Structure formats: structure tokens, C-alpha cells
Amino acid sequence: MKILSIRPSPPGGSTLARFDLELNDHLKLFNLALRQRGPGRCWTVAPNAFHERTAAFGEQFNRAISDMALAALMELSADASTDV
């Protein structure tokens, strides 16, 4: 399982970033939203289609992918600050 791409969201909302996730060689999920959910907690939400969620994740799995996405986002931020 790995983060393929992560894109920071504009400041001001609860969505921190959008990201693409490869679960294995057979399954990739695109445009997942990493959202702030209270102090120190992040949560991953699947995109909508026809005003309905396209997927839902169990709590343990959601924490795992949210932690991975947050780490990738922090790494991206750290890389950007060293480019100055």
C-alpha cells in the first residue's frame, strides 16, 4: 500500500489534501480527501459520485491510510520549505 500522489488543499477548510492511493497491484483509489477532524485527528473520505459516497473505510483502515497521507503531506511541506 502506498500514496501515489498528494495535493495540498487551499487553507481555510477542513480538507488538508487530496491524494491517490495504491492498495495493491490490482486496486487504486483516486481523489481521496484527507480531512481534519478535531485537534490532532485526520480522517480520509472517498469522493462522491451522483451525490453519494463511492467508498467507505473501516476505522482501523481509515487511520492507517490517514496516517500515511498525513506523513506524505508533511514530507511534501518539508521538501517545499527546503527549496527556497
Side-chain angles (χ1 to χ4, degrees), residues 14-27:
S14 63
T15 301
L16 302 175
R18 296 270 177 186
F19 67 99
D20 305 327
L21 176 72
E22 180 178 70
L23 291 172
N24 56 43
D25 291 339
H26 308 285
L27 182 60

Side-chain angles (χ1 to χ4, degrees), residues 2 14-15 22 24 35 44 48-49 58 63 65 78 81 84:
K2 66 181 176 180
S14 63
T15 301
E22 180 178 70
N24 56 43
R35 294 200 175 147
T44 296
N48 290 333
R63 285 185 187 186
I65 60 176
S81 66
V84 177

Side-chain angles (χ1 to χ4, degrees), residues 44-60:
T44 296
V45 179
N48 290 333
F50 306 105
H51 307 288
E52 299 287 334
R53 285 264 167 250
T54 58
F57 311 115
E59 187 173 346
Q60 286 182 324

